[in-house]
């Protein structure tokens, strides 16, 4: 495979999503044509674990699998709920079984949005599940791929308390001052193409040093157009946006963010 230098690394996408089930071959083709060298494919629920491993075996030079139990389970279903310890327990043996294949633990984190976690009980249980998965990442010597919504400060505080040194905070929506605490801890931040839709994140992107920024699509969500399926090929849009905000060339952004991804997710070097 061609070297990663000059190619994109999508540090957070959901290639196992049902939205890709019918035309995945075409999506993969467009991904490669767009110069994407690696898809760091996160999972949210146990039901996706075996599927992401299958995709890794089908596309071993492209798909880098992650295992994680998301703070909100049953997304898009009638059974949507704040994560419980029972959602994690059956997944534990698979972290061990596939420890050599997975490149990170994720998507994990905290979601304290009031309709998901209205009481302190739900928030505490989310913290328990999050902390257990942080421990798994330490046991397996893997980085973590993090979701935080309405919980930026407590997420970063928990990562630091647990002694986590390698973390990606995806689509971070906290205050720049909170992000800088993460930067000081050595964490990375990634942004999806949806940032191109408005300038809400421009101040944050401006403040975070390029050495701490990665690219992501979060596809099939958070694309350049609302309610239109996002694809990994759209990663160039966020690259151009970051270049514009920082007043540098897109080539500089590609080079720096790919270098950052290789430092954060060292196991993806095997895909080269």
């Amino acid at each position: 495979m061609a070297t990663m230098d000059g190619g994109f690394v999508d540090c957070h996408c959901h290639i196992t999503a049902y939205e890709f089930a019918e035309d995945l071959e075409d999506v993969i083709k467009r991904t490669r044509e767009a110069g994407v060298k690696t898809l760091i494919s996160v999972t949210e629920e146990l039901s996706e674990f075996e599927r992401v491993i299958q995709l890794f075996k089908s596309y071993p030079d492209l798909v880098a699998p992650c295992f994680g139990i998301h703070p909100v389970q049953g997304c898009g279903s009638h059974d949507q709920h704040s994560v419980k310890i029972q959602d994690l327990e059956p997944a534990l043996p698979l972290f061990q079984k596939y420890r050599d294949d997975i490149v990170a633990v994720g998507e994990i984190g905290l979601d304290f949005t009031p309709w998901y976690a209205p009481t302190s009980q739900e928030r505490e249980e989310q913290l328990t599940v999050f902390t257990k998965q942080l421990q798994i990442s330490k046991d397996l010597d893997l980085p973590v791929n993090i979701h935080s919504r309405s919980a930026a400060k407590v997420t970063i505080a928990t990562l630091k308390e647990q002694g986590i040194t390698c973390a990606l905070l995806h689509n971070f929506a906290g205050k720049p001052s909170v992000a800088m605490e993460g930067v000081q801890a050595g964490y990375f931040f990634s942004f999806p193409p949806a940032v191109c839709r408005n300038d809400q994140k421009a101040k944050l992107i401006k403040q975070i040093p390029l050495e701490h920024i990665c690219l992501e699509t979060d596809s099939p969500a958070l694309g350049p157009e609302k309610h239109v399926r996002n694809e990994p090929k759209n990663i160039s849009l966020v690259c151009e946006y970051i270049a514009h905000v920082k007043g540098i060339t897109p080539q500089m952004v590609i080079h720096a963010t790919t270098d950052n991804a290789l430092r954060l997710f060292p196991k993806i070097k095997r895909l080269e």
Side-chain angles (χ1 to χ4, degrees):
M1 181 184 168
T3 176
M4 286 200 192
D5 191 33
F8 297 105
V9 178
D10 185 345
C11 286
H12 186 105
C13 63
H14 299 262
I15 212 70
T16 54
Y18 70 87
E19 289 92 338
F20 291 131
E22 287 185 15
D23 64 342
L24 184 63
E25 277 291 328
D26 294 335
V27 170
I28 295 288
K29 186 170 181 286
R30 288 191 289 270
T31 296
R32 294 189 193 276
E33 285 167 357
V36 180
K37 302 298 184 192
T38 306
L39 297 176
I40 296 179
S41 188
V42 295
T43 48
E44 296 185 346
E45 303 187 10
L46 172 58
S47 60
E48 295 176 90
F49 283 20
E50 297 280 1
R51 172 75 175 140
V52 81
I53 293 295
Q54 275 175 3
L55 292 177
F56 162 57
K57 289 183 173 161
S58 299
Y59 308 101
D61 62 334
L62 181 69
V63 174
C66 308
F67 283 1
I69 301 295
H70 191 279
V72 179
Q73 293 291 288
C75 269
S77 76
H78 297 304
D79 183 34
Q80 201 160 294
H81 63 272
S82 183
V83 73
K84 297 176 170 61
I85 196 69
Q86 297 94 303
D87 296 310
L88 174 63
E89 280 168 349
L92 297 176
L94 291 177
F95 283 98
Q96 295 298 331
K97 182 180 177 183
Y98 293 109
R99 61 186 298 159
D100 294 336
D101 295 329
I102 57 176
V103 303
V105 174
E107 178 175 356
I108 64 172
L110 299 171
D111 196 317
F112 290 173
T113 317
W115 50 88
Y116 293 139
T119 70
S120 59
Q121 188 183 337
E122 276 119 343
R123 294 191 286 275
E124 283 304 316
E125 191 135 27
Q126 279 194 24
L127 264 166
T128 301
V129 172
F130 183 34
T131 306
K132 279 190 182 296
Q133 291 184 96
L134 294 177
Q135 187 58 55
I136 291 167
S137 78
K138 288 191 287 185
D139 293 345
L140 301 181
D141 193 23
L142 290 173
V144 287
N145 208 317
I146 301 292
H147 169 100
S148 72
R149 189 158 43 192
S150 304
K153 210 168 174 56
V154 65
T155 300
I156 287 177
T158 305
L159 289 168
K160 286 161 74 173
E161 278 162 23
Q162 294 299 317
I164 299 297
T165 54
C166 294
L168 177 75
L169 289 118
H170 110 91
N171 190 35
F172 188 76
K175 292 178 183 160
S177 59
V178 178
M180 294 317 286
E181 287 175 36
V183 167
Q184 280 156 12
Y187 304 152
F188 293 83
F189 295 80
S190 60
F191 300 95
V195 295
C196 309
R197 286 193 233 136
N198 60 54
D199 285 329
Q200 273 182 326
K201 296 267 173 79
K203 187 180 174 191
L204 187 61
I205 290 167
K206 211 171 264 185
Q207 235 173 303
I208 297 174
L210 187 59
E211 297 73 38
H212 289 267
I213 290 179
C214 290
L215 304 180
E216 66 159 292
T217 61
D218 198 29
S219 48
L222 299 184
E225 297 173 75
K226 249 186 176 174
H227 312 304
V228 175
R229 184 185 73 171
N230 188 18
E231 289 188 20
K233 71 177 174 86
N234 290 327
I235 201 161
S236 59
L237 300 175
V238 70
C239 173
E240 286 160 16
Y241 182 79
I242 290 169
H244 167 72
V245 168
K246 287 197 168 287
I248 56 177
T249 66
Q251 202 55 43
M252 285 171 77
V253 175
I254 296 173
H255 185 80
T257 54
T258 297
D259 194 49
N260 294 343
L262 287 164
R263 280 189 293 133
L264 177 58
F265 302 106
K267 282 174 84 173
I268 68 173
K269 290 181 180 136
R270 69 184 181 197
L271 304 183
E272 289 189 59

